Amino acid sequence: MDEEPPFAEDGAWVVARPGPVGADDGPGPLVPERRARPAPGAGEILVEVEACGVCRTDLHLAEGDLPPRLPRCTPGHEVVGRVTALGAGVADFAVGDRAGVAWLAGVCGRCRYCRGGRENLCPASTYTGWDRHGGYAGFVTADARFAYRLPEGPPAEELAPLLCAGIIGYRALERAELPDGGLLGIYGFGASAHLTAQLATARGARLAVFTRGAAARDLARELGAGFVGNSYDPPPEPLDAAILFAPAGELVPVALAALDRGGTLAVAGIHLTDVPVLNYRQHLFQERTLRSVTANTRADGRAFLAEAARVRPVVRVNRYPMRRADAALADLAADRVTGVAVLVA
């Protein structure tokens, strides 16, 4: 860009027209624009953004894998900032508090899923950076009931990835039902995977990581993986459980075939390319389980943040100024990010 877009107070990135990120034939889907500072409604907080993680879900939104729900939507759902204003009825936050705004933005609270503790399956659920504007901006509003109180000590860019990459990895690990001391296979080793790996090892798990990127393989070894290979390599022994973080459906049969009897494969992404035909005996027989992971509950978020405060995972941060959000997303699309990309104000 010839001129830097304004992000001091009134700037925001928006998905103007979904399409390929990083294409050379004109402006990409993410463009900057000015807009009035949002005002918090009843029950909402206004947060001045300090940092916002760049998630693969943002890439899916920008490129159209997720159909737009909000015209000219601002992506970003790993937001760390300061509360600058309160809507009517907010009692859990005060101006000046550090707050986190995450993916789950709202649920109905009345359906059988909400009443049964499975609010992540609420048909009326809404999401930050998809149904309402997210954190690729100077300010963002959030329902105070779905925001998280954050500690003062850690840098904002290290806390931001915990709010989606960390939380969804936590839920995926829970859904994988890894036995104590078991061997966990991780397919893909990006933002969520490198945090989940540390959570798993802190719980006593052994790790086998399968990923195509040389830098990601190096990071996996650095974080304690006992085996590191390419995506299609066989494991050193049958896996007790596995998590698929890569949005590649062709890896589903690969991971299922690598499971031991009774093992579970949890698919962590919101978007997955088509899964090839499965062979019952090779992929599912002997009580192997294939399950998806859909968003998270607020209980997941609170439990993960408490566990992360004890474990203190190393967050491999690639910093980008907010004015370079388009470049950060392009780097993510081209697999040039090892660890996590984070926009900083």
Side-chain angles (χ1 to χ4, degrees), residues 32-122:
E33 70 177 23
R34 292 176 181 270
R35 67 168 181 238
R37 183 184 304 187
E44 293 184 340
I45 56 175
L46 177 65
V47 176
E48 185 173 8
V49 177
E50 295 177 347
C52 183
V54 178
C55 179
R56 191 160 290 274
T57 301
D58 303 333
L59 180 62
H60 293 319
L61 177 71
E63 295 195 320
D65 297 321
L66 296 181
R69 292 183 176 179
L70 180 66
R72 301 186 74 81
C73 181
T74 295
H77 54 271
E78 298 176 325
V79 185
V80 176
R82 294 283 174 185
V83 177
T84 61
L86 306 174
V90 173
D92 293 335
F93 286 92
V95 171
D97 284 349
R98 204 176 203 188
V101 182
W103 176 236
L104 185 65
V107 297
C108 75
R110 301 180 300 275
C111 69
R112 62 189 177 96
Y113 302 105
C114 289
R115 296 196 312 270
R118 298 187 294 166
E119 64 183 9
N120 61 306
L121 300 180
C122 174

Side-chain angles (χ1 to χ4, degrees), residues 182-325:
L183 178 61
L184 175 67
I186 293 180
Y187 289 82
F189 205 72
S192 189
H194 96 289
L195 297 174
T196 308
Q198 296 176 72
L199 200 66
T201 55
R203 294 181 180 187
R206 296 175 293 130
L207 292 182
V209 171
F210 308 86
T211 187
R212 65 185 182 182
R217 292 196 294 271
D218 289 342
L219 179 58
R221 294 186 187 97
E222 181 182 326
L223 295 178
F227 173 85
V228 179
N230 289 309
S231 300
Y232 291 87
D233 286 346
E237 61 184 88
L239 305 173
D240 295 298
I243 303 173
L244 176 59
F245 287 103
E250 63 268 23
L251 292 180
V252 169
V254 174
L256 285 171
L259 289 175
D260 202 353
R261 299 174 183 223
T264 295
L265 170 63
V267 180
I270 190 173
H271 171 77
L272 190 71
T273 58
D274 289 345
V275 178
V277 173
L278 300 178
N279 177 277
Y280 176 69
R281 178 164 293 277
Q282 182 181 4
H283 300 127
L284 295 172
F285 192 55
Q286 295 172 333
E287 299 193 352
R288 296 180 180 90
T289 300
L290 171 62
R291 54 178 29 162
S292 66
V293 180
T294 300
N296 63 272
T297 67
R298 284 171 286 178
D300 290 329
R302 291 188 291 268
F304 167 69
L305 291 173
E307 190 166 353
R310 298 191 299 271
V311 173
R312 298 296 298 271
V314 174
V315 185
R316 180 63 63 87
V317 175
N318 299 262
R319 292 168 54 101
Y320 295 79
M322 185 67 75
R323 66 178 181 274
R324 297 192 65 233

